[in-house]
Amino acid sequence: MVTPQTRGAAYRCAFVLGGGGALGAYEVGMLRALISAGIEPDLVVGTSVGAINGAAIAAEPTAEAVERLGELWGSLGRSGVFSGSVLRRLRLAARNRTHVYSSAPLSELLEAGLPARRIEDLAVPFQCVAAGIESAAEHWFTKGPLVPAVMASCAVPGLLPPVEIDGEHFFDGGLINSIPVGRAVAAGARTVYVLQVGRVERKLKAPRAPWEVAAVAFEIARRHRFTRDMADLPSGVEVHVLPTGASSGRGEDIAGRKFQHRDFGRSLERMERAYEASIAYLEAAGKPALRTGSVTP
């Protein structure tokens, strides 16, 4: 394992955790499978909800840490992160004109749940990305306060307010680099495990309602970046895209006909499906895993 004292060593294995809101529970199951197979990262790269899961595993890449992360996901529906009546949300939006939820509950949850205060204090090197508003460019956080960086990476436009850090404002990193495989490869990783929420596994459908247009357009952009990164992989780099295990009958509809950002009720199911699917994938790839018990809700 790379520690803060050995950060000069070459990165061999990277975990890349993509964005996806409540679907981020799939990544917890994937992490559990990887750790049970004895696969630990030398570098963790995350976007949006992947920054939350990534910071947790970078702080402590152990089965116990994944178990605690699973418990956190099991409690998200009760945590108040995306709670409040429609009237309350409308009042907040009327006051600020930019978002419908306060960032305070998520910030408090991260402050309580992440053991490190600064990125440099994490056990494994960690990077997360956000979209700089003034610069109109991707911004990578590689040092400095941890929670503000993760909050910036998670600031979904319209849902949460932009995060201000050192005079610049940031929105969700998924706007510009939702599954940052290229970043891990550029950092020197030779083996990359991609933890994604299942969107790249499913064919998009044309929007059928006005509110679906933006979601589909965004999904085209995010998939294009990922596809380009995969096509541009240099020789000698091994990339594993872990499966979610979601069946076609229980798929998550990108355009919003089935999936909603507050849909935490299926977190345990998503974790278990991704764990079983990823275990099977790793075994087929010749990396047998020690099967463990269920993630605690």
Side-chain angles (χ1 to χ4, degrees):
M1 180 194 308
V2 175
T3 67
Q5 289 75 33
T6 60
R7 289 181 186 272
Y11 300 134
R12 299 177 300 278
C13 176
F15 288 1
V16 173
L17 295 93
L23 301 182
Y26 284 123
E27 297 176 352
V28 182
M30 295 171 184
L31 287 171
R32 181 168 149 237
L34 288 167
I35 296 301
S36 67
I39 301 171
E40 294 185 7
D42 300 304
L43 172 68
V44 177
V45 181
T47 298
S48 195
V49 73
I52 296 177
N53 292 332
I57 201 66
E60 184 186 339
T62 66
E64 292 76 16
V66 176
E67 186 77 13
R68 290 194 297 271
L69 186 59
E71 293 171 0
L72 183 148
W73 272 93
S75 67
L76 274 177
R78 306 183 298 273
S79 66
V81 172
F82 290 125
S83 64
S85 66
V86 173
L87 181 59
R88 180 180 176 183
R89 298 199 300 272
L90 289 175
R91 286 174 176 170
L92 181 61
R95 287 199 304 269
N96 60 67
R97 301 183 180 182
T98 61
H99 56 278
V100 295
Y101 295 107
S102 167
S103 61
L106 179 57
S107 179
E108 292 167 3
L109 190 69
L110 295 178
E111 291 284 359
L114 295 177
R117 300 276 70 86
R118 297 182 63 83
I119 295 174
E120 301 95 312
D121 298 332
L122 294 169
V124 176
F126 169 75
Q127 303 179 11
C128 65
V129 65
I133 295 177
E134 288 85 356
S135 64
E138 64 182 67
H139 180 95
W140 284 93
F141 294 94
T142 60
K143 60 182 179 180
L146 176 61
V147 170
V150 173
M151 288 293 297
S153 189
C154 295
V156 182
L159 296 184
L160 294 170
V163 175
E164 182 178 359
I165 299 176
D166 295 334
E168 185 173 2
H169 297 82
F170 298 96
F171 269 142
D172 192 294
L175 292 172
I176 48 176
N177 204 338
S178 191
I179 309 176
V181 173
R183 180 73 178 188
V185 173
R190 310 311 290 171
T191 302
V192 180
Y193 290 92
V194 178
L195 290 74
Q196 49 83 39
V197 301
R199 290 172 166 175
V200 298
E201 300 171 354
R202 303 187 183 284
K203 189 174 181 178
L204 284 174
K205 299 177 182 179
R208 299 200 300 261
W211 54 85
E212 296 175 354
V213 174
V216 173
F218 170 68
E219 192 63 23
I220 292 171
R222 74 187 293 278
R223 292 192 189 192
H224 172 75
R225 176 74 181 263
F226 175 67
T227 301
R228 187 186 67 191
D229 282 353
M230 294 293 287
D232 291 342
L233 290 174
S235 61
V237 174
E238 179 182 339
V239 177
H240 299 272
V241 181
L242 298 183
T244 62
S247 65
S248 58
R250 296 298 301 275
E252 315 279 7
D253 194 320
I254 301 311
R257 290 186 284 269
K258 296 179 183 177
F259 170 67
Q260 296 181 355
H261 65 274
R262 297 192 296 170
D263 182 20
F264 295 111
R266 291 174 57 192
S267 290
L268 180 59
E269 175 193 343
R270 289 171 180 142
M271 287 186 278
E272 291 296 335
R273 283 178 177 271
Y275 170 70
E276 291 294 337
S278 296
I279 284 286
Y281 174 90
L282 293 172
E283 289 175 345
K287 304 178 189 299
L290 174 65
R291 290 177 177 264
T292 60
S294 300
V295 176
T296 304

